Amino acid sequence: LLSGTVPDHVDVIIQDLGPGGLPVAIIYYIFLLVVSFTVLNLLVGVLVNVVAVVTSVEQEVQQVAHFRQNLTKMIPMLDEDGNQHISKEEFEAVLINPEVCAALQAVGVDPVGL
């Protein structure tokens, strides 16, 4: 069966099938066709899976970059004492802001749970 899956020497295989005649050769060619399409479908499935995973990762990276960009724009507005750090009280005040809540929800963070 392995020589049918990877037909490197088809002429030798056909000579081996010679005594069986035409029906055996037809069955062999059908087997060869089915195996070729099966391997092709397997490779296409792997390729589609890889593309789906890469797309998912790229979308997540873009969402995080967009969130980071929005948050860095909002931090100067929300930093009440101007020390470039957000204290616990300032962070709690941030969670009241609907823009921040929407940005957190866009990346899958539940602002109510924080």
Coordinates of all heavy atoms in Angstrom, one line a residue, residues 32-108:
L32 N -4.9 4.8 -6.5 CA -3.9 5.8 -6.6 C -4.6 7.2 -6.6 O -4.1 8.2 -5.9 CB -3.1 5.6 -7.8 CG -1.8 6.4 -8.0 CD1 -0.8 6.0 -6.9 CD2 -1.2 6.2 -9.3
L33 N -5.7 7.3 -7.3 CA -6.4 8.6 -7.4 C -7.0 9.0 -6.0 O -6.9 10.1 -5.6 CB -7.5 8.5 -8.4 CG -8.4 9.7 -8.7 CD1 -7.5 10.7 -9.4 CD2 -9.6 9.4 -9.6
V34 N -7.6 8.0 -5.3 CA -8.2 8.3 -4.0 C -7.2 8.7 -3.0 O -7.3 9.6 -2.3 CB -9.0 7.0 -3.5 CG1 -9.4 7.2 -2.1 CG2 -10.3 6.8 -4.4
V35 N -6.0 8.0 -3.0 CA -5.0 8.3 -2.1 C -4.4 9.7 -2.4 O -4.2 10.5 -1.4 CB -3.8 7.2 -2.2 CG1 -2.6 7.7 -1.5 CG2 -4.3 5.9 -1.5
S36 N -4.3 10.0 -3.6 CA -3.7 11.4 -4.0 C -4.7 12.5 -3.5 O -4.2 13.5 -2.9 CB -3.5 11.5 -5.5 OG -2.6 10.5 -5.9
F37 N -6.0 12.3 -3.7 CA -6.9 13.3 -3.3 C -7.0 13.3 -1.7 O -7.2 14.4 -1.2 CB -8.3 13.1 -3.9 CG -8.4 13.7 -5.3 CD1 -8.6 12.8 -6.4 CD2 -8.3 15.0 -5.5 CE1 -8.7 13.3 -7.6 CE2 -8.4 15.5 -6.7 CZ -8.6 14.7 -7.8
T38 N -6.8 12.2 -1.1 CA -6.9 12.2 0.4 C -5.7 13.0 0.9 O -5.9 13.8 1.9 CB -6.9 10.7 0.9 OG1 -8.0 10.0 0.3 CG2 -6.9 10.7 2.4
V39 N -4.5 12.8 0.4 CA -3.3 13.5 0.9 C -3.5 15.0 0.5 O -3.1 15.8 1.4 CB -2.1 12.9 0.2 CG1 -0.9 13.8 0.5 CG2 -1.8 11.5 0.7
L40 N -4.0 15.3 -0.6 CA -4.3 16.7 -1.0 C -5.2 17.4 0.0 O -5.0 18.5 0.4 CB -4.8 16.8 -2.4 CG -5.1 18.2 -2.9 CD1 -3.8 19.0 -3.1 CD2 -5.9 18.1 -4.2
N41 N -6.3 16.7 0.3 CA -7.3 17.2 1.3 C -6.7 17.4 2.7 O -6.9 18.4 3.4 CB -8.5 16.4 1.4 CG -9.4 16.6 0.2 OD1 -9.4 17.6 -0.4 ND2 -10.2 15.5 -0.1
L42 N -5.8 16.5 3.1 CA -5.1 16.6 4.3 C -4.2 17.9 4.4 O -4.2 18.6 5.3 CB -4.3 15.4 4.6 CG -3.4 15.4 5.8 CD1 -4.2 15.2 7.1 CD2 -2.3 14.4 5.7
L43 N -3.5 18.1 3.3 CA -2.6 19.2 3.2 C -3.4 20.5 3.2 O -3.0 21.5 3.8 CB -1.7 19.1 2.0 CG -0.7 18.0 2.1 CD1 0.1 17.9 0.8 CD2 0.3 18.2 3.3
V44 N -4.5 20.5 2.5 CA -5.3 21.7 2.4 C -5.9 22.0 3.8 O -6.0 23.2 4.2 CB -6.5 21.6 1.4 CG1 -7.5 22.7 1.5 CG2 -5.9 21.6 0.0
G45 N -6.4 21.0 4.5 CA -6.9 21.2 5.9 C -5.8 21.7 6.8 O -6.1 22.6 7.6
V46 N -4.6 21.3 6.7 CA -3.5 21.8 7.6 C -3.3 23.3 7.2 O -3.1 24.1 8.1 CB -2.3 21.0 7.4 CG1 -1.1 21.7 8.0 CG2 -2.5 19.6 8.0
L47 N -3.3 23.6 6.0 CA -3.0 25.0 5.5 C -4.2 25.9 6.0 O -3.9 27.0 6.5 CB -2.9 25.0 4.0 CG -2.7 26.4 3.4 CD1 -1.3 26.9 3.8 CD2 -2.8 26.3 1.9
V48 N -5.4 25.5 5.9 CA -6.5 26.3 6.4 C -6.4 26.5 7.9 O -6.7 27.6 8.4 CB -7.9 25.6 6.0 CG1 -9.0 26.2 6.7 CG2 -8.1 25.7 4.5
N49 N -6.1 25.4 8.6 CA -5.9 25.6 10.1 C -4.8 26.6 10.4 O -5.0 27.4 11.4 CB -5.7 24.2 10.7 CG -5.7 24.2 12.2 OD1 -6.4 25.1 12.8 ND2 -5.1 23.2 12.8
V50 N -3.7 26.5 9.8 CA -2.6 27.4 10.0 C -3.1 28.9 9.8 O -2.8 29.8 10.6 CB -1.4 27.1 9.2 CG1 -0.3 28.2 9.3 CG2 -0.8 25.8 9.7
V51 N -3.7 29.1 8.7 CA -4.2 30.4 8.3 C -5.2 30.9 9.4 O -5.2 32.1 9.8 CB -4.8 30.5 6.9 CG1 -5.6 31.7 6.6 CG2 -3.8 30.2 5.8
A52 N -6.1 30.1 9.8 CA -7.1 30.5 10.9 C -6.4 30.9 12.2 O -6.7 31.9 12.8 CB -8.1 29.3 11.1
V53 N -5.4 30.1 12.6 CA -4.6 30.4 13.8 C -3.9 31.7 13.7 O -3.9 32.6 14.6 CB -3.7 29.3 14.2 CG1 -2.7 29.7 15.3 CG2 -4.5 28.0 14.6
V54 N -3.2 31.9 12.5 CA -2.5 33.2 12.3 C -3.4 34.4 12.3 O -3.1 35.4 12.9 CB -1.6 33.1 11.0 CG1 -1.1 34.4 10.6 CG2 -0.5 32.1 11.2
T55 N -4.6 34.2 11.7 CA -5.5 35.3 11.6 C -6.0 35.7 13.0 O -6.1 36.8 13.4 CB -6.7 34.9 10.8 OG1 -6.3 34.6 9.4 CG2 -7.8 36.0 10.7
S56 N -6.3 34.7 13.8 CA -6.8 34.9 15.2 C -5.7 35.6 16.0 O -6.0 36.6 16.8 CB -7.1 33.5 15.9 OG -7.4 33.7 17.2
V57 N -4.5 35.2 15.9 CA -3.4 35.8 16.7 C -3.2 37.3 16.2 O -3.0 38.2 17.0 CB -2.1 35.0 16.5 CG1 -0.9 35.8 17.0 CG2 -2.2 33.7 17.2
E58 N -3.2 37.5 14.9 CA -3.1 38.9 14.4 C -4.2 39.8 14.8 O -4.0 40.9 15.2 CB -3.0 38.9 12.9 CG -1.7 38.3 12.3 CD -0.5 39.1 12.7 OE1 -0.6 40.4 12.7 OE2 0.6 38.5 13.0
Q59 N -5.4 39.3 14.9 CA -6.6 40.1 15.4 C -6.4 40.4 16.8 O -6.7 41.6 17.2 CB -7.9 39.3 15.2 CG -8.3 39.3 13.7 CD -9.6 38.5 13.6 OE1 -10.0 37.8 14.4 NE2 -10.2 38.6 12.4
E60 N -5.9 39.5 17.6 CA -5.7 39.8 19.0 C -4.6 40.8 19.2 O -4.7 41.7 20.1 CB -5.3 38.5 19.8 CG -5.2 38.7 21.3 CD -5.0 37.4 22.0 OE1 -5.3 36.3 21.4 OE2 -4.5 37.4 23.1
V61 N -3.5 40.7 18.4 CA -2.4 41.7 18.5 C -2.9 43.1 18.2 O -2.6 44.1 18.8 CB -1.3 41.3 17.6 CG1 -0.3 42.4 17.4 CG2 -0.6 40.0 18.2
Q62 N -3.8 43.2 17.1 CA -4.3 44.5 16.7 C -5.2 45.0 17.8 O -5.2 46.2 18.0 CB -5.1 44.3 15.4 CG -4.2 44.2 14.2 CD -4.9 44.0 12.9 OE1 -6.2 43.9 12.9 NE2 -4.2 44.1 11.8
Q63 N -6.1 44.2 18.4 CA -6.9 44.7 19.5 C -6.1 45.2 20.7 O -6.5 46.3 21.2 CB -7.9 43.5 20.0 CG -9.0 43.2 19.1 CD -9.9 42.1 19.6 OE1 -9.5 41.4 20.5 NE2 -11.1 42.1 19.2
V64 N -5.1 44.5 21.1 CA -4.3 45.0 22.2 C -3.6 46.3 21.8 O -3.5 47.2 22.6 CB -3.3 43.9 22.6 CG1 -2.2 44.4 23.5 CG2 -4.0 42.7 23.2
A65 N -3.1 46.4 20.6 CA -2.4 47.6 20.2 C -3.4 48.8 20.2 O -3.0 49.9 20.6 CB -1.8 47.4 18.8
H66 N -4.6 48.5 19.7 CA -5.6 49.6 19.7 C -6.0 50.0 21.1 O -6.1 51.2 21.4 CB -6.8 49.1 18.9 CG -7.9 50.1 18.8 ND1 -7.8 51.2 18.0 CD2 -9.2 50.2 19.3 CE1 -8.9 51.9 18.1 NE2 -9.7 51.3 18.9
F67 N -6.1 49.0 22.0 CA -6.4 49.3 23.4 C -5.3 50.1 24.0 O -5.6 51.1 24.8 CB -6.7 48.0 24.2 CG -6.9 48.2 25.6 CD1 -8.0 48.8 26.1 CD2 -5.9 47.9 26.5 CE1 -8.2 49.0 27.4 CE2 -6.1 48.1 27.9 CZ -7.3 48.6 28.3
R68 N -4.1 49.7 23.8 CA -2.9 50.4 24.4 C -2.9 51.9 23.9 O -2.6 52.8 24.6 CB -1.6 49.7 24.0 CG -0.4 50.5 24.4 CD 0.8 49.7 24.1 NE 1.1 48.9 25.3 CZ 1.9 47.9 25.4 NH1 2.6 47.5 24.3 NH2 2.0 47.2 26.4
Q69 N -3.2 52.0 22.6 CA -3.2 53.4 22.0 C -4.3 54.3 22.7 O -4.0 55.4 23.0 CB -3.4 53.3 20.5 CG -3.4 54.6 19.8 CD -3.6 54.5 18.3 OE1 -4.0 53.4 17.8 NE2 -3.4 55.5 17.6
N70 N -5.5 53.7 22.8 CA -6.5 54.4 23.4 C -6.3 54.7 24.9 O -6.5 55.8 25.4 CB -7.9 53.6 23.3 CG -8.4 53.7 21.9 OD1 -8.0 54.5 21.1 ND2 -9.3 52.7 21.7
L71 N -5.7 53.8 25.6 CA -5.4 54.0 27.0 C -4.3 55.0 27.3 O -4.4 55.8 28.2 CB -5.0 52.6 27.7 CG -5.0 52.6 29.2 CD1 -6.4 52.9 29.7 CD2 -4.6 51.2 29.7
T72 N -3.3 55.0 26.4 CA -2.2 56.0 26.6 C -2.7 57.4 26.3 O -2.2 58.4 26.8 CB -1.0 55.7 25.7 OG1 -1.4 55.3 24.4 CG2 -0.1 54.6 26.3
K73 N -3.7 57.5 25.4 CA -4.3 58.8 25.2 C -5.2 59.3 26.4 O -5.2 60.5 26.7 CB -5.3 58.8 24.0 CG -4.6 58.7 22.6 CD -5.6 58.7 21.5 CE -4.9 58.5 20.2 NZ -5.9 58.3 19.1
M74 N -5.8 58.3 27.1 CA -6.6 58.7 28.2 C -5.9 58.9 29.5 O -6.4 59.6 30.4 CB -7.7 57.6 28.4 CG -8.7 57.4 27.3 SD -9.8 56.1 27.7 CE -10.4 55.7 26.1
I75 N -4.7 58.3 29.7 CA -4.0 58.4 31.0 C -3.7 59.8 31.4 O -3.9 60.2 32.5 CB -2.7 57.5 30.9 CG1 -3.1 56.0 31.1 CG2 -1.7 57.9 32.0 CD1 -2.0 55.0 31.0
P76 N -3.2 60.7 30.5 CA -2.9 62.1 30.9 C -4.2 62.8 31.4 O -4.1 63.6 32.4 CB -2.4 62.7 29.7 CG -1.8 61.7 28.9 CD -2.7 60.5 29.1
M77 N -5.3 62.5 30.9 CA -6.6 63.1 31.3 C -7.0 62.5 32.7 O -7.6 63.2 33.5 CB -7.7 62.8 30.3 CG -7.5 63.4 28.9 SD -8.8 63.2 27.8 CE -9.1 61.4 27.8
L78 N -6.6 61.3 33.0 CA -7.1 60.7 34.2 C -6.1 60.8 35.3 O -6.5 60.5 36.5 CB -7.5 59.2 33.9 CG -8.5 59.0 32.8 CD1 -8.6 57.5 32.4 CD2 -9.8 59.5 33.2
D79 N -4.9 61.1 35.1 CA -3.9 61.2 36.1 C -4.1 62.6 36.8 O -3.6 63.6 36.4 CB -2.5 61.1 35.5 CG -1.4 61.1 36.5 OD1 -1.7 60.8 37.7 OD2 -0.2 61.4 36.2
E80 N -4.8 62.5 37.9 CA -5.2 63.8 38.6 C -4.0 64.5 39.3 O -3.9 65.7 39.3 CB -6.2 63.5 39.7 CG -7.5 63.0 39.0 CD -8.5 62.5 40.1 OE1 -8.2 62.5 41.3 OE2 -9.6 62.1 39.7
D81 N -3.0 63.8 39.8 CA -1.9 64.4 40.5 C -0.7 64.7 39.6 O 0.3 65.2 40.1 CB -1.5 63.6 41.8 CG -1.2 62.2 41.5 OD1 -1.2 61.8 40.3 OD2 -0.9 61.4 42.5
G82 N -0.7 64.2 38.4 CA 0.3 64.5 37.4 C 1.6 63.7 37.6 O 2.7 64.2 37.1
N83 N 1.6 62.6 38.4 CA 2.9 61.9 38.6 C 3.2 60.8 37.6 O 4.0 60.0 37.8 CB 2.9 61.4 40.0 CG 1.8 60.3 40.3 OD1 1.0 60.1 39.4 ND2 1.8 59.7 41.4
Q84 N 2.4 60.7 36.6 CA 2.5 59.7 35.5 C 2.2 58.3 36.0 O 2.6 57.3 35.4 CB 3.9 59.8 34.8 CG 4.1 61.1 34.1 CD 3.2 61.4 33.0 OE1 2.8 60.5 32.2 NE2 2.7 62.6 32.8
H85 N 1.6 58.2 37.1 CA 1.2 56.9 37.7 C -0.3 57.0 38.1 O -0.8 58.1 38.5 CB 2.0 56.5 38.9 CG 3.5 56.3 38.6 ND1 3.9 55.2 37.9 CD2 4.5 57.0 38.9 CE1 5.2 55.3 37.8 NE2 5.6 56.4 38.4
I86 N -1.0 55.9 38.0 CA -2.4 55.9 38.3 C -2.5 55.2 39.7 O -2.2 54.0 39.8 CB -3.3 55.2 37.3 CG1 -3.2 56.0 36.0 CG2 -4.7 55.1 37.7 CD1 -4.0 55.4 34.9
S87 N -3.0 55.9 40.7 CA -3.2 55.3 42.0 C -4.5 54.5 42.0 O -5.3 54.5 41.0 CB -3.3 56.4 43.1 OG -4.5 57.2 42.8
K88 N -4.8 53.8 43.1 CA -6.0 53.0 43.2 C -7.2 53.9 43.1 O -8.2 53.5 42.4 CB -6.0 52.2 44.5 CG -7.2 51.3 44.7 CD -7.2 50.6 46.0 CE -8.4 49.7 46.1 NZ -8.4 49.0 47.3
E89 N -7.2 55.0 43.7 CA -8.4 55.9 43.6 C -8.6 56.5 42.2 O -9.7 56.6 41.7 CB -8.2 57.1 44.6 CG -8.2 56.8 46.0 CD -6.9 56.2 46.5 OE1 -5.9 56.4 45.9 OE2 -7.0 55.5 47.6
E90 N -7.5 56.8 41.5 CA -7.6 57.3 40.1 C -8.1 56.1 39.2 O -8.9 56.4 38.3 CB -6.2 57.8 39.7 CG -5.8 59.1 40.3 CD -4.3 59.4 40.0 OE1 -3.5 58.5 39.6 OE2 -4.0 60.6 40.1
F91 N -7.6 54.9 39.5 CA -8.1 53.8 38.7 C -9.6 53.5 38.9 O -10.3 53.3 37.9 CB -7.3 52.5 39.0 CG -7.7 51.3 38.2 CD1 -7.3 51.2 36.9 CD2 -8.4 50.3 38.8 CE1 -7.6 50.1 36.1 CE2 -8.8 49.2 38.0 CZ -8.4 49.1 36.7
E92 N -10.0 53.7 40.1 CA -11.5 53.5 40.3 C -12.3 54.6 39.7 O -13.3 54.4 39.2 CB -11.7 53.5 41.8 CG -11.3 52.2 42.5 CD -11.3 52.3 44.0 OE1 -11.6 53.3 44.6 OE2 -11.1 51.2 44.6
A93 N -11.7 55.8 39.6 CA -12.3 56.9 38.9 C -12.3 56.6 37.4 O -13.3 57.0 36.6 CB -11.6 58.2 39.2
V94 N -11.3 55.9 36.9 CA -11.2 55.6 35.5 C -12.3 54.7 35.1 O -12.9 54.8 34.0 CB -9.8 55.0 35.2 CG1 -9.8 54.3 33.8 CG2 -8.7 56.0 35.2
L95 N -12.7 53.7 36.0 CA -13.7 52.7 35.6 C -15.1 53.4 35.5 O -16.0 52.7 34.9 CB -13.7 51.6 36.7 CG -12.4 50.8 36.7 CD1 -12.6 49.7 37.8 CD2 -12.2 50.1 35.4
I96 N -15.2 54.6 36.0 CA -16.5 55.3 35.8 C -16.6 55.8 34.4 O -17.7 56.0 33.9 CB -16.7 56.4 36.9 CG1 -16.7 55.8 38.3 CG2 -17.9 57.2 36.7 CD1 -16.6 56.8 39.4
N97 N -15.5 56.1 33.8 CA -15.5 56.7 32.4 C -16.0 55.7 31.4 O -15.5 54.6 31.3 CB -14.1 57.1 32.1 CG -14.0 57.9 30.8 OD1 -14.8 57.8 29.9 ND2 -12.9 58.7 30.7
P98 N -17.1 56.0 30.7 CA -17.7 55.0 29.7 C -16.7 54.7 28.5 O -16.8 53.6 28.0 CB -18.9 55.7 29.2 CG -18.8 57.1 29.6 CD -17.9 57.2 30.7
E99 N -15.8 55.6 28.2 CA -14.9 55.3 27.1 C -13.9 54.2 27.5 O -13.6 53.3 26.7 CB -14.1 56.6 26.7 CG -14.9 57.6 26.0 CD -14.1 58.9 25.7 OE1 -12.9 58.8 25.6 OE2 -14.7 60.0 25.6
V100 N -13.4 54.3 28.8 CA -12.5 53.3 29.3 C -13.2 52.0 29.4 O -12.7 50.9 29.1 CB -11.9 53.8 30.6 CG1 -11.1 52.7 31.2 CG2 -11.1 55.1 30.4
C101 N -14.4 52.0 29.9 CA -15.2 50.7 30.0 C -15.4 50.1 28.7 O -15.3 48.9 28.5 CB -16.5 51.0 30.7 SG -16.4 51.4 32.5
A102 N -15.7 50.9 27.7 CA -15.9 50.3 26.3 C -14.6 49.8 25.8 O -14.6 48.7 25.1 CB -16.4 51.4 25.4
A103 N -13.5 50.5 26.0 CA -12.2 50.0 25.6 C -11.8 48.7 26.3 O -11.3 47.7 25.7 CB -11.1 51.0 25.8
L104 N -12.1 48.6 27.6 CA -11.8 47.3 28.3 C -12.7 46.2 27.8 O -12.2 45.1 27.7 CB -12.1 47.6 29.8 CG -11.0 48.4 30.6 CD1 -11.5 48.7 32.0 CD2 -9.7 47.7 30.6
Q105 N -13.9 46.5 27.6 CA -14.8 45.4 27.1 C -14.4 44.9 25.7 O -14.6 43.8 25.3 CB -16.3 45.9 27.0 CG -16.9 45.9 28.4 CD -18.3 46.5 28.4 OE1 -18.7 47.1 27.5 NE2 -19.0 46.2 29.5
A106 N -13.8 45.8 24.9 CA -13.4 45.5 23.5 C -12.3 44.5 23.5 O -12.2 43.7 22.6 CB -13.0 46.7 22.7
V107 N -11.5 44.5 24.6 CA -10.4 43.5 24.6 C -10.7 42.3 25.6 O -9.9 41.5 25.9 CB -9.0 44.1 25.1 CG1 -8.5 45.1 24.0 CG2 -9.2 44.8 26.4
G108 N -12.0 42.2 26.0 CA -12.4 41.1 26.8 C -12.2 41.2 28.3 O -12.3 40.2 29.0

